[in-house]
Amino acid sequence: MDSGQPIKNPLYPVSLRMTFEEKANLELAAAGMSLSSYIRWRIFDPASPPPKHRGKQPVKDHVALARLLAMMGQSRIGNNLNQLAKAVNSGSLPVTPETEAELIEAARAIVHMRRLLLEALQIEATP
């Protein structure tokens, strides 16, 4: 569906080779901007403030986020909570000391995951 009209400001690709570490550092410095936008800004307008759309990546601590994701991947909390909800809704959940201990342990795990997520996002936890 070509309209026959010329494109106002055509963009031309430029290739740049760099090491894995250089690219990782560039992505970190770009802080969520596309690499293309970040490089254009740094080369052609470095004195200006960064474009407003910076910060699409809210994660500040990737190590903490990785720990959280690993913990969530190993846990069956979602499945277990779903089973508990079904048992509660059907009235078949016996409240034994073992059940209570498991619920307390699940709550502790959820609180721990919340702390890790807040740490990864560098957000102050509210009491």
Side-chain angles (χ1 to χ4, degrees):
M1 294 191 174
D2 185 15
S3 65
Q5 296 179 359
I7 299 172
K8 274 192 173 186
N9 292 317
L11 300 176
Y12 301 95
V14 174
S15 179
L16 173 68
R17 295 185 187 276
M18 58 183 68
T19 67
F20 176 83
E21 291 79 15
E22 289 169 336
K23 184 172 184 229
N25 287 334
L26 185 63
E27 288 172 339
L28 187 62
M33 290 175 66
S34 72
L35 292 183
S36 177
S37 294
Y38 178 75
I39 292 168
R40 275 196 310 272
W41 169 61
R42 296 300 293 176
I43 291 174
F44 298 117
D45 201 10
S48 73
K52 297 249 185 235
H53 63 279
R54 279 187 74 150
K56 290 181 183 175
Q57 296 176 344
V59 176
K60 306 298 184 208
D61 186 342
H62 290 274
V63 173
L65 181 62
R67 287 194 329 247
L68 171 65
L69 293 174
M71 180 182 240
M72 290 176 71
Q74 293 172 353
S75 119
R76 296 185 41 83
I77 288 176
N79 187 40
N80 293 345
L81 287 175
N82 189 35
Q83 289 175 355
L84 286 170
K86 284 182 182 178
V88 166
N89 288 331
S90 70
S92 65
L93 178 67
V95 181
T96 65
E98 181 181 281
T99 305
E100 184 177 355
E102 289 176 2
L103 287 171
I104 290 170
E105 181 59 32
R108 284 187 185 132
I110 291 169
V111 167
H112 181 65
M113 285 186 241
R114 179 180 182 271
R115 278 192 208 119
L116 285 174
L117 181 58
L118 292 174
E119 179 183 329
L121 298 173
Q122 291 186 347
I123 297 173
E124 288 287 323
T126 55

